[in-house]
């Protein structure tokens, strides 16, 4: 089954404790992206990657890091989480041929205390 | 002015009603227009997409794009309780590569269809 898998689904952590949210896709997509979704603000792009070893900032990259060492994986790293990073996070991927069709993961609900 | 504006609702309609959801945008370079549907506690899923201006129909759903007015619409006929979700419009430019290929999303309209 074609899918984007995010883990964990829910995460509660404390300020300053480094964490990683994993994202993996099984569709051989070139493009991958991370979004955060907040009430009243909608989906905002954090980072994206056009292919392996190619990443770039989105609209709200501060406080986040990413890497793309393999085509299927695109982890999101919060080196020193803060309460304002409490949000619902989505990973997404698409092929370059059908760039309009983004496949989203099920989301990670992060709470930073 | 934000690139994409979408009325957040919420919008509540009775079952069987015709629903109209809309977005306006400011960037004339946008050429691909999408509607995503997001159920509660799920990731968005692509519902329909249109290239440039015109209409596209898929069952009970019709997407319209008016590039001259920078206005897109999604119509839902004979709405059902299962249509209750948040609907997000999205759009991007014609060139795929770099930031031009990224989708720009509206904030979403929450729709509730009452039985």
């Amino acid at each position: 089954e074609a899918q984007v898998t995010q883990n964990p689904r829910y995460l509660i952590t404390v300020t300053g404790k480094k964490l990683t949210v994993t994202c993996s896709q099984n569709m051989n997509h070139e493009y991958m992206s991370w979004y955060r979704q907040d009430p009243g603000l909608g989906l905002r792009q954090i980072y994206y990657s056009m292919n392996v070893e190619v990443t770039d900032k989105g609209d709200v990259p501060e406080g986040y890091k990413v890497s793309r060492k393999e085509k299927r994986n695109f982890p999101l790293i919060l080196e020193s989480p803060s309460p304002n990073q409490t949000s619902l996070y989505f990973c997404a991927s698409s092929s370059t041929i059908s760039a309009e069709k983004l496949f989203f993961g099920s989301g990670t609900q992060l709470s930073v205390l | 002015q934000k690139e994409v504006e979408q009325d957040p609702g919420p919008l509540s309609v009775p079952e069987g009603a015709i629903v109209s959801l809309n977005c306006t945008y400011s960037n004339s370079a946008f050429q691909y227009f999408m509607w995503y549907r997001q159920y509660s506690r799920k990731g968005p899923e692509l519902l329909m997409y249109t290239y440039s201006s015109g209409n596209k129909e898929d069952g009970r759903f019709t997407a319209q794009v008016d590039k001259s007015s920078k206005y897109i619409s999604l119509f839902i006929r004979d709405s059902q309780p299962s249509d209750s979700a948040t609907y997000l419009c999205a759009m991007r430019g014609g060139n795929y590569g770099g930031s031009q290929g990224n989708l720009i999303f509206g904030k979403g309209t929450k729709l509730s269809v009452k039985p």
Side-chain angles (χ1 to χ4, degrees):
Chain A
E1 181 190 353
Q3 59 185 3
V4 177
T5 303
Q6 285 179 239
N7 280 298
R9 188 82 170 85
Y10 301 93
L11 181 58
I12 301 174
T13 190
V14 295
T15 300
K17 187 175 181 181
K18 181 179 178 179
L19 66 91
T20 299
V21 184
T22 63
C23 174
S24 181
Q25 50 93 4
N26 63 359
M27 295 166 280
N28 201 37
H29 285 166
E30 296 83 9
Y31 180 90
M32 297 186 75
S33 182
W34 276 102
Y35 298 86
R36 60 178 289 175
Q37 189 174 38
D38 302 286
L41 297 177
L43 274 171
R44 294 182 292 168
Q45 191 177 45
I46 303 171
Y47 269 94
Y48 66 96
S49 170
M50 300 295 288
N51 215 322
V52 177
E53 301 290 2
V54 181
T55 63
D56 209 344
K57 296 176 181 178
D59 298 318
V60 288
E62 294 78 20
Y64 304 94
K65 282 178 59 177
V66 293
S67 67
R68 187 93 181 272
K69 293 183 170 54
E70 303 167 284
K71 199 172 185 179
R72 62 183 293 127
N73 296 324
F74 191 45
L76 179 69
I77 302 159
L78 285 71
E79 299 242 333
S80 183
S82 62
N84 65 11
Q85 292 178 299
T86 292
S87 186
L88 179 58
Y89 291 86
F90 289 103
C91 179
S93 72
S94 71
S95 72
T96 52
I97 296 173
S98 300
E100 303 70 43
K101 188 168 185 177
L102 267 179
F103 288 80
F104 283 84
S106 298
T108 295
Q109 180 64 59
L110 172 65
S111 295
V112 183
L113 306 177
Chain B
Q1 181 186 10
K2 297 207 183 296
E3 277 198 293
V4 178
E5 300 272 10
Q6 184 176 9
D7 187 336
L11 183 62
S12 182
V13 301
E15 183 175 354
I18 296 174
V19 176
S20 172
L21 304 168
N22 311 294
C23 288
T24 59
Y25 63 96
S26 58
N27 190 340
S28 57
F30 288 149
Q31 293 195 36
Y32 291 86
F33 303 92
M34 283 68 70
W35 287 95
Y36 282 77
R37 179 174 61 193
Q38 184 178 19
Y39 290 114
S40 181
R41 291 185 293 276
K42 301 282 188 183
E45 296 175 291
L46 180 66
L47 189 60
M48 297 183 73
Y49 83 90
T50 310
Y51 172 71
S52 194
S53 283
N55 293 358
K56 188 171 184 178
E57 189 172 320
D58 184 1
R60 296 184 294 109
F61 298 87
T62 300
Q64 286 186 353
V65 175
D66 181 349
K67 289 189 72 178
S68 63
S69 302
K70 297 190 177 68
Y71 188 88
I72 70 171
S73 300
L74 177 71
F75 297 96
I76 308 174
R77 291 185 300 280
D78 187 26
S79 55
Q80 303 295 309
S82 58
D83 296 328
S84 298
T86 296
Y87 290 81
L88 301 98
C89 63
M91 45 201 80
R92 72 168 182 88
N95 294 324
Y96 187 78
S99 60
Q100 298 93 331
N102 292 326
L103 299 190
I104 308 299
F105 284 88
K107 292 181 180 179
T109 300
K110 188 169 184 178
L111 171 67
S112 177
V113 181
K114 304 293 187 186

